[in-house]
């Protein structure tokens, strides 16, 4: 029997957190190699294990996978969380890509200068409530089903719950105008595998605090001062 997937990253959410969520939703146990120093990342690079000299990297099925979306799509497909046909896959991609636009903004908040944090968070909550959450509220309302696509749990649902919880960390009442999303959150949180992942002691990581920011800063040579509004430009240059 193949061993457990092995996740290589630092001890924080970052880009790996969605991989942890998806594996947990698929009921797959995994191991984590959580590096704490720049040297540990350099060792992986020197060993020729990272296609772009970047993490996340996941060892699974004899492969060393990189690129977060590629990893997620592989896991979703393998564990039947990626729709039943091409049209469902397209919908899942369209929903997940929209979610990731918002997700990436939230992921970069710790990189903002202290005086820009608040401005960034209002920008995020405005985008969340005006652009992104209304889309998923409408999808659920229009088809009246429990899940976003095909009436069964998919990658899109797992990612949406992860995202909702992250947006709520920015503004706790962000779902107040979205009754369908409130029901969705309650329903998906109660699925046994998800419920287990939400319990303390699971591999789920907490929001980034100062100590984990310092660790990530030293490992990835990050600097504060990226203004969120230009995040797409920054990402393109990243
Ligand atoms: O999605 C992906 O996996 C890639 N498109 C980006 C991966 C990436 O940027 N990884 C960062 C750390 S995770 N935080 O954002 C990374 O490895 N940076 C070191 C470097 O030299 O780029």
């Amino acid at each position: 029997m193949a061993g457990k997937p092995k996740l290589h990253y630092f001890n924080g959410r970052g880009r790996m957190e969605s991989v942890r969520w998806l594996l947990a939703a698929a009921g797959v146990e995994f191991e984590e190699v959580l590096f704490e120093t720049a040297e540990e990342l350099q060792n992986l690079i020197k060993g020729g294990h990272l296609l772009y000299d970047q993490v996340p990297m996941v060892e699974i099925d004899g492969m060393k996978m990189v690129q977060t979306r590629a990893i997620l799509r592989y896991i979703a497909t393998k564990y039947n969380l990626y729709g039943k046909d091409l049209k469902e896959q397209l919908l899942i991609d369209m929903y997940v890509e929209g979610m990731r636009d918002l997700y990436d903004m939230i992921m970069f908040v710790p990189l903002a200068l202290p005086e820009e944090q608040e401005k960034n968070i209002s920008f995020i909550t405005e985008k969340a409530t005006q652009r992104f959450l209304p889309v998923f509220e409408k999808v659920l309302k229009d088809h009246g089903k429990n899940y976003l696509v095909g009436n069964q749990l998919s990658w899109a649902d797992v990612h949406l719950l992860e995202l909702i919880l992250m947006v709520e960390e920015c503004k706790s009442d962000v779902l107040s105008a979205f009754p369908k999303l409130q029901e969705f959150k309650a329903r998906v949180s109660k699925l046994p595998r998800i419920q287990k992942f939400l319990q303390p002691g699971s591999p789920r990581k907490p929001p980034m605090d100062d100590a984990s920011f310092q660790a990530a800063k030293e490992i990835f040579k990050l600097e504060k001062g990226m203004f969120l509004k230009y995040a797409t430009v920054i990402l393109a240059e990243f």
Side-chain angles (χ1 to χ4, degrees), residues 23-188:
L23 285 170
V28 178
E29 287 186 15
F30 52 90
E31 292 171 13
E32 297 207 69
V33 180
L34 300 171
F35 40 79
E36 289 171 5
T37 64
E39 286 68 44
E40 289 168 85
L41 175 60
Q42 286 308 314
N43 288 340
L44 269 183
I45 293 172
K46 280 186 208 142
H49 300 304
L50 304 178
L51 192 62
Y52 297 103
D53 295 350
Q54 289 181 319
V55 286
M57 190 269 273
V58 176
E59 289 184 72
I60 178 171
D61 296 339
M63 290 180 284
K64 289 187 169 61
M65 292 184 191
V66 294
Q67 289 294 348
T68 315
R69 287 166 164 81
I71 298 167
L72 289 167
R73 199 164 287 116
Y74 182 90
I75 295 166
T77 309
K78 179 168 173 156
Y79 295 104
N80 196 25
L81 292 164
Y82 197 30
K84 65 172 175 349
D85 57 29
L86 205 50
K87 286 187 178 171
E88 287 193 358
Q89 288 173 0
L90 173 74
L91 284 178
I92 291 168
D93 281 342
M94 283 168 46
Y95 298 156
V96 166
E97 288 300 320
M99 291 172 204
R100 286 214 75 89
D101 286 347
L102 184 58
Y103 188 99
D104 287 348
M105 291 184 211
I106 300 174
M107 190 174 68
F108 281 102
V109 166
L111 286 176
L113 294 169
E115 62 271 23
E116 288 178 345
Q117 291 269 346
E118 212 174 301
K119 209 166 160 189
N120 281 327
I121 287 172
S122 350
F123 184 79
I124 286 166
T125 50
E126 188 198 312
K127 288 287 174 213
T129 51
Q130 306 296 312
R131 173 169 296 172
F132 294 104
L133 297 179
V135 170
F136 308 118
E137 175 78 9
K138 183 170 186 317
V139 169
L140 292 167
K141 190 166 178 223
D142 286 356
H143 67 30
K145 309 264 170 57
N146 284 349
Y147 300 106
L148 286 169
V149 179
N151 205 20
Q152 66 169 34
L153 186 75
S154 77
W155 173 22
D157 302 300
V158 179
H159 205 44
L160 180 56
L161 179 61
E162 181 190 0
L163 182 67
I164 285 173
L165 299 180
M166 283 172 74
V167 184
E168 285 184 330
E169 286 168 358
C170 297
K171 188 172 187 291
S172 58
D173 65 350
V174 78
L175 289 191
S176 58
F178 303 104
K180 291 287 164 196
L181 289 178
Q182 289 173 29
E183 288 167 24
F184 171 90
K185 177 189 161 190
R187 187 165 53 242
V188 178

Side-chain angles (χ1 to χ4, degrees), residues 213-236:
F213 175 74
Q214 286 308 321
K217 185 179 167 192
E218 127 76 13
I219 294 165
F220 301 118
K221 314 292 177 218
L222 300 173
E223 283 304 327
K224 287 204 180 220
M226 299 178 172
F227 182 56
L228 190 66
K229 199 163 180 181
Y230 306 110
T232 48
V233 178
I234 291 159
L235 288 172

Side-chain angles (χ1 to χ4, degrees), residues 196-212:
K196 190 173 162 205
F197 189 64
L198 292 171
Q199 294 298 314
S202 85
R204 186 173 175 230
K205 306 292 180 237
M208 188 174 258
D209 59 11
D210 285 347
S212 62

